[in-house]
Structures are given as structure tokens and as C-alpha cells.
Amino acid sequence: CVNRNLGKSGLRVSCVGLEEMTTLAYEKWPQSRICNPFGLFFLPETVRAMTYVINRGMALYWGTSRWNSMEIMEAYSVARQFNQIPPICEQAEYHMFQREKVEVQLPQLYHKIGIGAMTWSPLACGIISGKYRSGIPPSARASLKGYEWIKDKIMSEEGHREQLKLRELETFAQRLQCTLPQLAIAWCLRNDKVNSVLLGASRPAQLVENIRAIQVSVLPKITMSIAAEIDCILKNKPHCKKGSRFSKEH
């Protein structure tokens, strides 16, 4: 699990990484899009700019972040049409409550054009950590000014349903002798189409705890039968087309 190929490129990446800016951008502008708001019209310029950067030796590869399948395919088509360099990966949000894009859409793009997947927010901006099981602590991120959207999400009807599921998952994690965050990260890593999971941590101890999710004590326990039990708790497994495979038993 330590290193994985990024899509069908020759680039090898760590299966976990440390990220800050993507989560910050999402938290500050949760309704915005990182890609250009004017849509496909500016994609040729983006592809040309990235090709220029790579040809000048300032980068080896480039990827997208929070682009939809149509935009990624358009970028790939533009690159092929004008002899430019296409993206090799998409950076997408992925956790137990956000599954469709990474488990259905990106595997299809992988088979078509070799796009890899780097995922972020495995703990759903802290919601899956379990810290909100009894409400919102005064010191928690959701109680701070500017993060009201997290509080609204937690306090919503869907948020209450998610907290009930997290209580079940916490008991499940104890059965596997790990913490809920470790289980959540290992669950993301069990998807063999996820090339790297980007972790966010507010303190060193938290980072060390999260990294333990990739050690032999946790990840190998997420077998197909265990993953199926987790799916029974989550009840949100996205529909996959026949023949689409995105997970395997480790």
C-alpha cells in the first residue's frame, strides 16, 4: 500500500499524503468551483498553459481538482487534438458519505483515458472523527465563525442520520481494534482505484494516529466481507455499471 501508480502514468505516489490548501479552499468557499466558472470555453487555455509549464521543466505532470467527468474528457480531447499534454489525475472529495464520483465516475475515466484518483477529506472535514456525536463542542471547527456550513450540515436531518451511522461504525471500529478515523481512512484506501488519500491534521499526534490506518494493524482487516458489513451500515453504495470494478480485498 505504501506506493501506488497515479492512474496509468509512470508516476509513483505515496498512498497517503498531507494536504491543507484543498480543504481550506473547500471550507472557505464550499459552494464555489475550483475550475473556471466560465466552463469549457477556457479549457483549451488551461491545457496549453499546463503543457507549457511541463515543456519548460517546471513540472512533470498535471492534474485537475473537482472537475466533472465532462470537463476532464474535454481537456483530454483538447490535448490529443492539439498535441498537448493531458491531465493524469483528478483530485476529488471521498469519504464514507461521499462516494459516487470516486467509486463510479473516476473508474470509468481510468479505463477510458487512464485518469488516476487522489482523494481528500477522508474524515468529511472532521464529521467522521466522531467529535460531533454529542453536539458541537465549543472548540470544534463547526463552532467557529466562517464554518457555519459545517454546523448546518451536522444539524440537518441528513446529518442526524449520519451521526447514527457513525455510532454503529464506532462500535464496528472497536471490533477491529482501531479508532473511527483509522477505520475511515483505511476504508478509503481499500479502494484500489484510489492512488493516494490526502490527510489533513491540526496537530502532529493526530497525523500519527491517522497514518497508522495504513499499517498492518488496520488496512488488511478491511476485507470484502468487512467492507460489505460497512456498506450495510452506510446504505449508500452507489450504483455501478455491470463489469465496473473499483475495490478488492487486501
Side-chain angles (χ1 to χ4, degrees):
C1 168
V2 176
N3 294 297
R4 298 178 178 179
N5 273 69
L6 188 55
K8 292 184 179 179
S9 73
L11 180 62
R12 298 282 287 177
V13 294
S14 171
C15 66
V16 294
L18 180 63
E19 59 90 20
E20 295 179 345
M21 296 309 296
T22 299
T23 300
L24 178 62
Y26 182 75
E27 291 170 352
K28 293 297 185 182
W29 302 281
Q31 304 301 322
S32 71
R33 292 185 55 77
I34 293 179
C35 63
N36 196 294
F38 294 101
L40 300 180
F41 180 77
F42 288 98
L43 277 175
E45 283 74 12
T46 300
V47 174
R48 281 199 289 267
M50 293 300 99
T51 299
Y52 176 87
V53 167
I54 292 172
N55 287 340
R56 293 301 183 277
M58 293 180 279
L60 296 177
Y61 305 92
W62 75 280
T64 60
S65 181
R66 298 182 68 204
W67 285 26
N68 63 41
S69 296
M70 183 175 67
E71 291 164 337
I72 295 170
M73 282 300 301
E74 179 70 14
Y76 182 85
S77 298
V78 167
R80 289 294 178 241
Q81 182 179 357
F82 298 104
N83 196 29
Q84 305 291 307
I85 300 173
I88 65 167
C89 70
E90 159 66 3
Q91 188 171 279
E93 182 180 7
Y94 182 51
H95 49 74
M96 289 177 167
F97 300 133
Q98 182 90 349
R99 304 177 60 175
E100 174 76 20
K101 182 175 183 178
V102 171
E103 294 187 6
V104 178
Q105 298 173 22
L106 291 186
Q108 293 171 2
L109 287 176
Y110 172 81
H111 291 298
K112 288 180 180 178
I113 60 176
I115 286 290
M118 297 186 72
T119 68
W120 54 279
S121 197
L123 301 184
C125 296
I127 292 175
I128 298 179
S129 68
K131 70 173 73 174
Y132 300 113
R133 67 173 67 87
S134 300
I136 300 178
S139 59
R141 184 185 305 171
S143 66
L144 301 177
K145 184 177 180 180
Y147 296 91
E148 292 84 1
W149 65 273
I150 301 181
K151 181 178 180 179
D152 292 341
K153 185 175 182 179
I154 295 169
M155 301 303 292
S156 69
E157 184 176 341
E158 179 61 25
H160 286 301
R161 286 196 293 268
E162 290 178 353
Q163 288 302 316
L164 291 176
K165 293 177 181 179
L166 289 175
R167 290 192 182 97
E168 290 188 66
L169 289 169
E170 193 157 31
T171 301
F172 195 87
Q174 291 171 1
R175 220 177 88 193
L176 296 180
Q177 299 180 318
C178 66
T179 65
L180 180 56
Q182 288 171 346
L183 175 65
I185 295 168
W187 180 88
C188 292
L189 286 168
R190 110 282 178 212
N191 184 338
D192 66 349
K193 292 299 184 291
V194 171
N195 307 128
S196 183
V197 175
L198 303 178
L199 307 177
S202 58
R203 59 186 187 280
Q206 184 183 47
L207 179 61
V208 170
E209 177 187 339
N210 291 344
I211 288 178
R212 285 178 181 157
I214 68 171
Q215 295 180 335
V216 293
S217 61
V218 182
L219 184 56
K221 296 179 181 179
I222 311 297
T223 61
M224 291 181 69
S225 60
I226 292 296
E229 289 187 63
I230 294 175
D231 279 334
C232 286
I233 296 173
L234 294 174
K235 295 181 174 62
N236 64 355
K237 185 175 182 179
H239 172 72
C240 292
K241 292 184 179 180
K242 188 176 181 180
S244 177
R245 297 178 62 189
F246 56 85
S247 64
K248 70 178 181 180
E249 182 175 356
H250 291 264

mmCIF file of all heavy atoms in Angstrom, residues 131-149:
data_model
loop_
_atom_site.group_PDB
_atom_site.id
_atom_site.type_symbol
_atom_site.label_atom_id
_atom_site.label_comp_id
_atom_site.label_asym_id
_atom_site.label_seq_id
_atom_site.Cartn_x
_atom_site.Cartn_y
_atom_site.Cartn_z
ATOM 1 N N LYS A 131 -16.285 13.470 16.736
ATOM 2 C CA LYS A 131 -16.274 14.557 17.722
ATOM 3 C C LYS A 131 -17.634 15.233 17.899
ATOM 4 O O LYS A 131 -17.865 15.936 18.875
ATOM 5 C CB LYS A 131 -15.226 15.601 17.332
ATOM 6 C CG LYS A 131 -15.587 16.400 16.091
ATOM 7 C CD LYS A 131 -14.612 17.541 15.834
ATOM 8 C CE LYS A 131 -13.286 17.043 15.321
ATOM 9 N NZ LYS A 131 -12.388 18.150 14.937
ATOM 10 N N TYR A 132 -18.543 15.021 16.919
ATOM 11 C CA TYR A 132 -19.843 15.687 16.978
ATOM 12 C C TYR A 132 -20.968 14.759 17.415
ATOM 13 O O TYR A 132 -22.139 15.070 17.229
ATOM 14 C CB TYR A 132 -20.177 16.285 15.613
ATOM 15 C CG TYR A 132 -19.160 17.304 15.134
ATOM 16 C CD1 TYR A 132 -18.359 17.044 14.025
ATOM 17 C CD2 TYR A 132 -18.991 18.513 15.798
ATOM 18 C CE1 TYR A 132 -17.420 17.974 13.586
ATOM 19 C CE2 TYR A 132 -18.061 19.446 15.369
ATOM 20 C CZ TYR A 132 -17.275 19.172 14.259
ATOM 21 O OH TYR A 132 -16.349 20.098 13.834
ATOM 22 N N ARG A 133 -20.612 13.626 17.998
ATOM 23 C CA ARG A 133 -21.645 12.638 18.370
ATOM 24 C C ARG A 133 -22.611 13.173 19.426
ATOM 25 O O ARG A 133 -23.773 12.769 19.469
ATOM 26 C CB ARG A 133 -20.984 11.351 18.881
ATOM 27 C CG ARG A 133 -20.253 11.476 20.185
ATOM 28 C CD ARG A 133 -19.773 10.127 20.709
ATOM 29 N NE ARG A 133 -18.750 9.565 19.859
ATOM 30 C CZ ARG A 133 -17.453 9.838 19.987
ATOM 31 N NH1 ARG A 133 -17.054 10.715 20.892
ATOM 32 N NH2 ARG A 133 -16.558 9.282 19.203
ATOM 33 N N SER A 134 -22.130 14.090 20.294
ATOM 34 C CA SER A 134 -22.979 14.621 21.363
ATOM 35 C C SER A 134 -23.232 16.112 21.204
ATOM 36 O O SER A 134 -23.453 16.829 22.174
ATOM 37 C CB SER A 134 -22.330 14.342 22.723
ATOM 38 O OG SER A 134 -22.157 12.959 22.925
ATOM 39 N N GLY A 135 -23.178 16.584 19.984
ATOM 40 C CA GLY A 135 -23.353 18.005 19.745
ATOM 41 C C GLY A 135 -22.087 18.627 19.202
ATOM 42 O O GLY A 135 -21.163 17.923 18.775
ATOM 43 N N ILE A 136 -22.024 19.937 19.216
ATOM 44 C CA ILE A 136 -20.861 20.651 18.662
ATOM 45 C C ILE A 136 -20.052 21.269 19.795
ATOM 46 O O ILE A 136 -20.489 22.234 20.434
ATOM 47 C CB ILE A 136 -21.323 21.734 17.680
ATOM 48 C CG1 ILE A 136 -22.111 21.077 16.536
ATOM 49 C CG2 ILE A 136 -20.130 22.509 17.132
ATOM 50 C CD1 ILE A 136 -22.666 22.042 15.530
ATOM 51 N N PRO A 137 -18.869 20.736 20.095
ATOM 52 C CA PRO A 137 -18.019 21.294 21.157
ATOM 53 C C PRO A 137 -17.612 22.733 20.842
ATOM 54 O O PRO A 137 -17.439 23.086 19.670
ATOM 55 C CB PRO A 137 -16.795 20.363 21.152
ATOM 56 C CG PRO A 137 -17.254 19.119 20.471
ATOM 57 C CD PRO A 137 -18.264 19.565 19.465
ATOM 58 N N PRO A 138 -17.463 23.575 21.859
ATOM 59 C CA PRO A 138 -17.092 24.983 21.638
ATOM 60 C C PRO A 138 -15.777 25.159 20.889
ATOM 61 O O PRO A 138 -15.594 26.139 20.166
ATOM 62 C CB PRO A 138 -16.989 25.547 23.065
ATOM 63 C CG PRO A 138 -17.851 24.633 23.873
ATOM 64 C CD PRO A 138 -17.704 23.276 23.279
ATOM 65 N N SER A 139 -14.861 24.206 21.064
ATOM 66 C CA SER A 139 -13.548 24.324 20.429
ATOM 67 C C SER A 139 -13.504 23.715 19.030
ATOM 68 O O SER A 139 -12.487 23.794 18.346
ATOM 69 C CB SER A 139 -12.490 23.635 21.298
ATOM 70 O OG SER A 139 -12.813 22.260 21.475
ATOM 71 N N ALA A 140 -14.590 23.080 18.596
ATOM 72 C CA ALA A 140 -14.604 22.408 17.303
ATOM 73 C C ALA A 140 -14.685 23.411 16.164
ATOM 74 O O ALA A 140 -15.169 24.534 16.318
ATOM 75 C CB ALA A 140 -15.776 21.437 17.226
ATOM 76 N N ARG A 141 -14.229 22.991 15.000
ATOM 77 C CA ARG A 141 -14.230 23.846 13.814
ATOM 78 C C ARG A 141 -15.634 24.331 13.472
ATOM 79 O O ARG A 141 -15.825 25.474 13.056
ATOM 80 C CB ARG A 141 -13.643 23.070 12.636
ATOM 81 C CG ARG A 141 -13.490 23.877 11.361
ATOM 82 C CD ARG A 141 -13.011 23.002 10.215
ATOM 83 N NE ARG A 141 -11.793 22.296 10.551
ATOM 84 C CZ ARG A 141 -11.259 21.340 9.800
ATOM 85 N NH1 ARG A 141 -11.852 20.975 8.680
ATOM 86 N NH2 ARG A 141 -10.133 20.743 10.160
ATOM 87 N N ALA A 142 -16.620 23.452 13.643
ATOM 88 C CA ALA A 142 -18.000 23.790 13.262
ATOM 89 C C ALA A 142 -18.581 24.916 14.115
ATOM 90 O O ALA A 142 -19.601 25.508 13.749
ATOM 91 C CB ALA A 142 -18.887 22.559 13.362
ATOM 92 N N SER A 143 -17.964 25.218 15.252
ATOM 93 C CA SER A 143 -18.474 26.283 16.115
ATOM 94 C C SER A 143 -17.825 27.635 15.810
ATOM 95 O O SER A 143 -18.218 28.654 16.373
ATOM 96 C CB SER A 143 -18.229 25.927 17.581
ATOM 97 O OG SER A 143 -16.841 25.902 17.870
ATOM 98 N N LEU A 144 -16.845 27.643 14.923
ATOM 99 C CA LEU A 144 -16.117 28.869 14.615
ATOM 100 C C LEU A 144 -16.827 29.693 13.538
ATOM 101 O O LEU A 144 -17.548 29.153 12.694
ATOM 102 C CB LEU A 144 -14.698 28.528 14.142
ATOM 103 C CG LEU A 144 -13.823 27.737 15.130
ATOM 104 C CD1 LEU A 144 -12.476 27.417 14.482
ATOM 105 C CD2 LEU A 144 -13.630 28.521 16.426
ATOM 106 N N LYS A 145 -16.589 30.988 13.576
ATOM 107 C CA LYS A 145 -17.149 31.880 12.568
ATOM 108 C C LYS A 145 -16.550 31.552 11.204
ATOM 109 O O LYS A 145 -15.337 31.360 11.080
ATOM 110 C CB LYS A 145 -16.849 33.342 12.934
ATOM 111 C CG LYS A 145 -17.497 34.342 11.978
ATOM 112 C CD LYS A 145 -17.223 35.774 12.420
ATOM 113 C CE LYS A 145 -17.874 36.770 11.462
ATOM 114 N NZ LYS A 145 -17.628 38.162 11.858
ATOM 115 N N GLY A 146 -17.400 31.484 10.210
ATOM 116 C CA GLY A 146 -16.939 31.136 8.873
ATOM 117 C C GLY A 146 -17.125 29.673 8.540
ATOM 118 O O GLY A 146 -16.972 29.262 7.387
ATOM 119 N N TYR A 147 -17.433 28.868 9.553
ATOM 120 C CA TYR A 147 -17.632 27.429 9.340
ATOM 121 C C TYR A 147 -19.063 27.012 9.651
ATOM 122 O O TYR A 147 -19.339 25.861 9.958
ATOM 123 C CB TYR A 147 -16.667 26.627 10.213
ATOM 124 C CG TYR A 147 -15.212 26.834 9.862
ATOM 125 C CD1 TYR A 147 -14.465 27.833 10.481
ATOM 126 C CD2 TYR A 147 -14.592 26.043 8.901
ATOM 127 C CE1 TYR A 147 -13.128 28.037 10.158
ATOM 128 C CE2 TYR A 147 -13.263 26.244 8.564
ATOM 129 C CZ TYR A 147 -12.539 27.243 9.192
ATOM 130 O OH TYR A 147 -11.231 27.436 8.863
ATOM 131 N N GLU A 148 -19.963 27.975 9.538
ATOM 132 C CA GLU A 148 -21.362 27.680 9.846
ATOM 133 C C GLU A 148 -21.936 26.587 8.947
ATOM 134 O O GLU A 148 -22.846 25.868 9.343
ATOM 135 C CB GLU A 148 -22.222 28.948 9.716
ATOM 136 C CG GLU A 148 -21.938 30.026 10.758
ATOM 137 C CD GLU A 148 -20.770 30.924 10.391
ATOM 138 O OE1 GLU A 148 -20.190 30.725 9.300
ATOM 139 O OE2 GLU A 148 -20.450 31.834 11.180
ATOM 140 N N TRP A 149 -21.397 26.465 7.746
ATOM 141 C CA TRP A 149 -21.901 25.458 6.811
ATOM 142 C C TRP A 149 -21.678 24.043 7.338
ATOM 143 O O TRP A 149 -22.491 23.150 7.074
ATOM 144 C CB TRP A 149 -21.254 25.633 5.439
ATOM 145 C CG TRP A 149 -19.772 25.391 5.415
ATOM 146 C CD1 TRP A 149 -18.791 26.294 5.679
ATOM 147 C CD2 TRP A 149 -19.112 24.168 5.105
ATOM 148 N NE1 TRP A 149 -17.559 25.718 5.553
ATOM 149 C CE2 TRP A 149 -17.716 24.406 5.195
ATOM 150 C CE3 TRP A 149 -19.557 22.896 4.743
ATOM 151 C CZ2 TRP A 149 -16.769 23.420 4.946
ATOM 152 C CZ3 TRP A 149 -18.609 21.900 4.497
ATOM 153 C CH2 TRP A 149 -17.241 22.167 4.592
#
